[in-house]
Amino acid sequence: MTDQLTLANVRYEKRDGIAYVILNRPKVLNALNTPTWIDLQKAFEDAKADASVHGVILTGAGDKAFIAGADISELAHVDAYEAEESSRFGQDVLNLIENIGKPVVAAINGFALGGGCETAMACTIRIAAEHAKFGQPEVKLGLLPGGGGTQRLPRLVGKGRALQLILTGETISAQEAYRIGLVNEVVPAADLIARAEAILKQISANAPIAVKFSLEATNKGLETSQTEGFALEASYFGICAATEDKKEGTSAFLEKRAPQFHGR
């Protein structure tokens, strides 16, 4: 285990190439307030900078909630300027999570509502416990999703289904979230972290540079035209072709052995 970052609202641990980011406010169902957003930012900045970290698991403390949403006691007192600044900061933190260049698996162990659903959507892969619940209930508070929900949700489930969720504020089950493509898998709660770890270990067996550029090509490509996305993909394909990992990967395939990648 490497040196640990000590945070007030987030438990942060690193073991065997995986960083564990655990929202640690179970008494308020891991609700997001400003100090918690700041702790999340610090944890993911550390995970991004640490070359020994090959992937991240993001989850919540306790068995009731992943992240139940924004801390309403804080949200109730913000004015228009503060609300916009808060929205932009939350978006920045989630953009960091989405673009750290390493896979991030959300292990969703309960309620993922509002900012919790938005946080899960910023992750690379979402694994839900069978009892997890999802929703964007902001309209019931006189607001709209402010952490990227109006942008990421339509990209994941389509415009029509996204608008139904956003405009009704309804809560859906893990099984429905899987059906519409909001989550990748639904597993028993007892298997949640083990399944997240297994996915990250499967990814980390591959060439690190290829993984990084696959993430970038997909994320950036979705923000541009398909033609520009093709050009980006070809450029990254060329970069990967010049790496030692590509030489090792192709040689190992031809020699019928397991490759040994070193991220070079």
Side-chain angles (χ1 to χ4, degrees), residues 207 209-210 213 238-248 263-264:
I209 297 172
F213 283 126
I239 292 170
C240 286
T243 63
E244 291 180 24
D245 279 352
K246 176 262 183 181
K247 186 182 296 183
E248 167 63 11
R264 298 193 294 268

Side-chain angles (χ1 to χ4, degrees), residues 100-153:
I100 68 166
K102 303 171 185 181
V104 180
V105 178
I108 303 157
N109 56 316
F111 290 110
L113 304 175
C117 189
E118 290 170 315
T119 301
M121 289 191 290
C123 297
T124 315
I125 295 169
R126 285 157 294 284
I127 308 299
E130 291 170 329
H131 70 288
K133 303 288 185 184
F134 298 82
Q136 297 287 168
E138 288 87 350
V139 288
K140 295 183 177 183
L141 301 173
L143 294 164
L144 73 156
T150 63
Q151 305 306 305
R152 287 193 177 92
L153 190 55

Side-chain angles (χ1 to χ4, degrees), residues 62-207:
D63 57 6
K64 292 182 179 179
F66 171 68
I67 301 168
D71 190 324
I72 306 302
S73 64
E74 179 183 87
L75 187 62
H77 301 290
V78 299
D79 61 23
Y81 173 79
E82 291 166 338
E84 182 174 350
E85 289 297 299
S86 174
S87 174
R88 291 186 186 279
F89 181 60
Q91 290 170 356
D92 287 345
V93 176
L94 298 188
N95 285 339
L96 169 66
I97 292 173
E98 188 172 52
N99 295 294
I100 68 166
K102 303 171 185 181
V104 180
V105 178
I108 303 157
N109 56 316
F111 290 110
L113 304 175
C117 189
E118 290 170 315
T119 301
M121 289 191 290
C123 297
T124 315
I125 295 169
R126 285 157 294 284
I127 308 299
E130 291 170 329
H131 70 288
K133 303 288 185 184
F134 298 82
Q136 297 287 168
E138 288 87 350
V139 288
K140 295 183 177 183
L141 301 173
L143 294 164
L144 73 156
T150 63
Q151 305 306 305
R152 287 193 177 92
L153 190 55
R155 286 168 167 80
L156 283 169
V157 306
K159 180 181 176 182
R161 194 67 180 95
L163 281 173
Q164 184 177 351
L165 287 169
I166 292 167
L167 298 180
T168 63
E170 69 176 311
T171 298
I172 62 172
S173 67
Q175 293 74 22
E176 175 66 4
Y178 174 74
R179 189 187 73 80
I180 66 175
L182 180 55
V183 300
N184 297 70
E185 298 180 17
V186 178
V187 301
D191 300 336
L192 187 63
I193 299 301
R195 179 57 185 145
E197 291 170 338
I199 290 170
L200 286 183
K201 287 174 183 175
Q202 186 177 6
I203 294 171
S204 67
N206 300 318

